[in-house]
Amino acid sequence: MSVRVMIDHRKKGDPALRHPEKAHRPDNPIARKPDWIRVRAPNHPTYHETRKLMRDNKLVTVCEEAACPNIGECWSQRHATMMIMGEICTRACAFCNVTTGLPHALDPDEPERVADAVARLGLRHVVITSVDRDDLADGGAQHFARVIGAIRASAPDTTIEILTPDFLRKPGALEVVVRARPDVFNHNLETVPRLYPGIRPGARYYQSLRLLDDVKRLDPSIFTKSGLMLGLGEERAEILQVMDDLRIADVDFITLGQYLQPTVKHAAVARFVTPDEFADYAAMARVKGFLQVSSSPLTRSSYHADSDFAELRAAREQRLRTERGVMESK
């Protein structure tokens, strides 16, 4: 069965309590979704097994917190994106469904619980993300490093992708995470720079871009990745400029997906981008030199991340072979 709704698999609650900073805002009616945005109602037994494992290990997932439309498909394949450092974010982005407020202290046992879940799920590839923790001196960098280390110990064959905050005004934080050597370092730009004041007010476009550039400077072997939500009012030329900015920073992988409004207090959808437009952006991204592109209405940062990583690694190897062949022919 297919349904044209975004299913919130997280516990229900008053949006005003989850997003107190948005309570005073006028309501933005949620637009009816077009036929091409469809998700399956989760009913696979493995979905419930994955959910139980998350609960048993007392883990938070961005799949639930962000009300991801792909959760039924992903969890039915034992693919869950774990969100570390709690479920309360210090930022108040206009697009995000994660709770805003004052976070709790870090849980020192969390890295081992995450690693245990990764091993029990038998994951080939895992994505670890987090809330923003502006309250911490290092933004949570050391905690990320501990989680990576714990997964390496418990599941040495699992490749690790991290989706990090921007570590704004946290000197030395990025270096701590890079030294832990994740296989993929993802940080989403989310939208075009013109829209940052209203959509991502706590962040800075060029800080995020510099973060990705610095990862490559510190360790060129780490794959870098970033993503954009479309449908927030951006123009085509702005999207193409962001692609160019990411390629200047030598980012390997770009994701493009449709923004879906979580509640009436969040930013409204300016328009629904058609599948043909997403295909056109994918073609443009490949021409610009990205090793891997994922572009569709339901694309999210960690959607199909395991198969995408295999293709990403193969694309790099092919490019290196081609470059060696060119050099040898000279």
Side-chain angles (χ1 to χ4, degrees), residues 79 125 127 161 225 253 301-310:
H79 297 160
H125 185 80
V127 182
E161 178 174 330
K225 178 177 176 180
F253 187 174
S301 291
S302 54
Y303 189 44
H304 294 163
D306 58 339
S307 57
D308 282 343
F309 177 73

Side-chain angles (χ1 to χ4, degrees), residues 185-242:
F185 192 111
N186 186 0
H187 175 68
N188 287 331
L189 293 183
E190 306 291 11
T191 190
V192 301
R194 176 176 60 85
L195 298 180
Y196 261 56
I199 299 300
R200 204 175 173 219
R204 303 293 180 269
Y205 177 80
Y206 288 104
Q207 163 67 18
S208 289
L209 196 61
R210 186 181 304 114
L211 186 84
L212 292 160
D213 187 59
D214 285 345
V215 173
K216 284 292 191 185
R217 176 181 56 81
L218 292 165
D219 189 340
S221 71
I222 296 175
F223 290 103
T224 49
K225 178 177 176 180
S226 191
L228 292 176
M229 299 173 295
L230 304 189
L232 284 162
E234 68 288 332
E235 300 292 337
R236 175 182 169 82
E238 292 176 305
I239 296 169
L240 299 181
Q241 182 60 61
V242 171

Side-chain angles (χ1 to χ4, degrees), residues 71-276:
I71 188 172
E73 177 186 347
C74 293
W75 283 27
S76 295
Q77 300 172 25
R78 293 188 171 89
H79 297 160
T81 298
M82 294 169 220
M83 191 168 78
I84 61 174
M85 297 192 280
E87 60 185 31
I88 302 175
C89 187
T90 55
R91 302 278 176 93
C93 296
F95 63 86
C96 186
N97 198 45
V98 174
T99 304
T100 300
L102 182 64
H104 304 298
L106 291 179
D107 182 347
D109 298 327
E110 184 176 52
E112 286 66 37
R113 293 202 312 277
V114 170
D116 177 69
V118 170
R120 289 168 63 186
L121 286 168
L123 299 180
R124 294 177 302 174
H125 185 80
V126 64
V127 182
I128 305 295
T129 188
S130 80
V131 290
D132 276 283
R133 291 298 302 258
D134 296 312
D135 58 310
L136 301 174
D138 69 348
Q142 187 59 52
H143 200 74
F144 260 105
R146 287 190 58 215
V147 170
I148 294 168
I151 295 171
R152 295 286 188 219
S154 293
D157 294 329
T158 301
T159 50
I160 301 171
E161 178 174 330
I162 58 170
L163 173 55
T164 76
D166 57 13
F167 299 120
L168 182 64
R169 292 184 285 272
K170 306 294 182 184
L174 178 63
E175 287 79 0
V176 169
V177 179
V178 170
R179 281 197 296 271
R181 304 209 65 232
D183 296 282
V184 181
F185 192 111
N186 186 0
H187 175 68
N188 287 331
L189 293 183
E190 306 291 11
T191 190
V192 301
R194 176 176 60 85
L195 298 180
Y196 261 56
I199 299 300
R200 204 175 173 219
R204 303 293 180 269
Y205 177 80
Y206 288 104
Q207 163 67 18
S208 289
L209 196 61
R210 186 181 304 114
L211 186 84
L212 292 160
D213 187 59
D214 285 345
V215 173
K216 284 292 191 185
R217 176 181 56 81
L218 292 165
D219 189 340
S221 71
I222 296 175
F223 290 103
T224 49
K225 178 177 176 180
S226 191
L228 292 176
M229 299 173 295
L230 304 189
L232 284 162
E234 68 288 332
E235 300 292 337
R236 175 182 169 82
E238 292 176 305
I239 296 169
L240 299 181
Q241 182 60 61
V242 171
M243 289 184 188
D244 288 338
D245 291 345
L246 288 171
R247 287 302 300 132
I248 289 171
D250 200 21
V251 170
D252 300 298
F253 187 174
I254 186 171
T255 61
L256 302 165
Q258 172 70 51
Y259 166 65
L260 297 176
Q261 183 181 347
T263 76
V264 295
K265 296 299 183 181
H266 286 77
V269 174
R271 74 183 190 95
F272 290 101
V273 181
T274 68
D276 286 346

